Amino acid sequence: MRDRESGYGSTGDREGCPVEYTLDVIGGKWKGVLLYHMIDGSKRFNEFKRICPSISQRMLTLQLRELEEDGIVHREVYHQVPPKVEYSLTEFGQTLTPIILLMKEWGKKYQQNSQCSIES
Amino acid sequence: MRDRESGYGSTGDREGCPVEYTLDVIGGKWKGVLLYHMIDGSKRFNEFKRICPSISQRMLTLQLRELEEDGIVHREVYHQVPPKVEYSLTEFGQTLTPIILLMKEWGKKYQQNSQCSIES
DNA sequence: CTCCTTAGTATACAAATTGATACTATACCA
DNA sequence: TGGTATAGTATCAATTTGTATACTAAGGAG
C-alpha cells in the first residue's frame, strides 16, 4: 500500500486505476476520520486521541506521518514545553474535502445506529 | 473492520463517525476498484481477474462476498457448466457511485504528479 | 528532587489481512 | 480417456496492522 512511488514498473495495474490511488491515500483505517476532523481546523495530537479514543498512539503517529508524506497534512511544531504540535490540511489536502464530506453524508444516511451528534 | 454489527457496545467511537462507516464499506483494499468497474454494468468473476491481474482469487472472492453481505453487490449465479456468476451493483450499491466517481476524478487528477501541482 | 504535562519513540508481541499454491466440481470436446 | 473452461475452496506462509508497555525531553509546580 505504501509503495506507490517505488516500484510498480509496468506490471502493476494501479497505473490505470485512479480509484485505487485515491483509496491508497485516504483508505487507511483511520485516515478518513483524521482528515474529517481536520476539515474544521487544525487539531493537536491529544485532541485526536480524545476524539478517537480507540486509536493507539502508535497508529495515530503512523497514520499522521503517512498523510504528511503524501502532502495531505501539514505538521506544525511549536517548540514549547510541554510540546505542542498542530496538524492541518495542506492546500493539496483541501482538495480531498469534497470526497470526505460526501462520505460523511453517505455514512450519515445509511448508518442504522446513528445517534450521530457530530456536525461540522 | 468487519465487526460492524457484532460488538462495539458503548466503547467504540464508530457510532458517531459516518466517514469511518463509509470507509468500512468501500475502503477494503480492492473494493473501490471492484465497485468502480461495476458502475458500467455487471462483471463476471474472471473479468475482474483480467481487469485487476494482481488481485488473487481468494481476495477477489472475499471482497465480493463482503460487498454482497453489505448489500452493495448482487451475485447472480447461472447454473451452467462451466459456471457463470455475474456481479452487479444493487440499488443500494448505486448510491455509492457519486463517491466512487469523485474518487476516480481526484485520483486521475493527482496520481501522475502527486503533490506537484495543484490546479483547479 | 520528584511529579506533571505533551508528543512522541522503542520494543515486544498478538491479531488480522493478504498472498501463493494446489485442489475441487462438472459438462463438453476430441 | 484426457484436456478445457469457470468459479470457486483449502491450506499454509508472509505481510501488515494493531496493542501494550515502557521510555524520552524539558520546563514548571510543589
Side-chain angles (χ1 to χ4, degrees), chain A residues 5-120:
Chain A
E5 44 264 354
S6 54
Y8 279 124
S10 54
T11 49
D13 55 342
R14 268 88 161 193
E15 313 244 352
C17 203
V19 174
E20 179 155 7
Y21 175 76
T22 306
L23 275 173
D24 198 21
V25 173
I26 62 171
K29 184 160 185 183
W30 303 98
K31 288 182 188 175
V33 208
L34 300 180
L35 256 26
Y36 172 46
H37 289 294
M38 271 180 285
I39 288 178
D40 55 305
S42 60
K43 292 272 173 299
R44 295 182 60 179
F45 192 82
N46 274 15
E47 282 188 88
F48 285 123
K49 285 213 296 182
R50 270 189 289 274
I51 295 166
C52 325
S54 53
I55 185 170
S56 66
Q57 286 196 334
R58 183 171 165 269
M59 273 303 107
L60 187 50
T61 305
L62 288 175
Q63 301 274 288
L64 286 168
R65 285 294 185 287
E66 289 192 358
L67 288 170
E68 202 193 343
E69 267 177 51
D70 288 337
I72 305 291
V73 154
H74 173 69
R75 182 166 171 266
E76 181 80 38
V77 182
Y78 297 85
H79 289 287
Q80 308 173 348
V81 169
K84 177 180 171 182
V85 178
E86 277 188 348
Y87 295 91
S88 56
L89 292 178
T90 61
E91 207 181 324
F92 180 48
Q94 307 268 3
T95 63
L96 282 165
T97 37
I99 300 179
I100 304 285
L101 291 177
L102 239 192
M103 293 201 303
K104 185 194 108 188
E105 289 309 315
W106 190 91
K108 245 171 96 172
K109 204 165 181 177
Y110 297 108
Q111 192 176 21
Q112 273 105 336
N113 42 344
S114 61
Q115 345 134 338
C116 139
S117 54
I118 297 177
E119 284 293 332
S120 57

Side-chain angles (χ1 to χ4, degrees), chain B residues 30-44 47-48 51 60 63-65 67-68 72-75 86-90 93-94 97 100-101:
Chain B
W30 302 98
K31 287 182 187 175
V33 206
L34 299 179
L35 255 26
Y36 172 48
H37 289 294
M38 272 180 284
I39 289 178
D40 56 304
S42 61
K43 292 274 172 298
R44 295 181 60 178
E47 281 187 90
F48 285 122
I51 295 166
L60 187 51
Q63 301 273 288
L64 285 168
R65 286 291 188 287
L67 288 170
E68 201 192 345
I72 305 291
V73 154
H74 173 68
R75 182 167 171 267
E86 276 188 350
Y87 295 90
S88 55
L89 292 177
T90 61
Q94 308 268 3
T97 36
I100 305 286
L101 290 178

Side-chain angles (χ1 to χ4, degrees), chain B residues 14 20 22-24 28 38 55 58 63 65 67 79 81 83 94:
Chain B
R14 270 85 162 196
E20 180 155 6
T22 305
L23 275 173
D24 198 22
M38 272 180 284
I55 184 170
R58 184 168 163 275
Q63 301 273 288
R65 286 291 188 287
L67 288 170
H79 289 286
V81 169
Q94 308 268 3

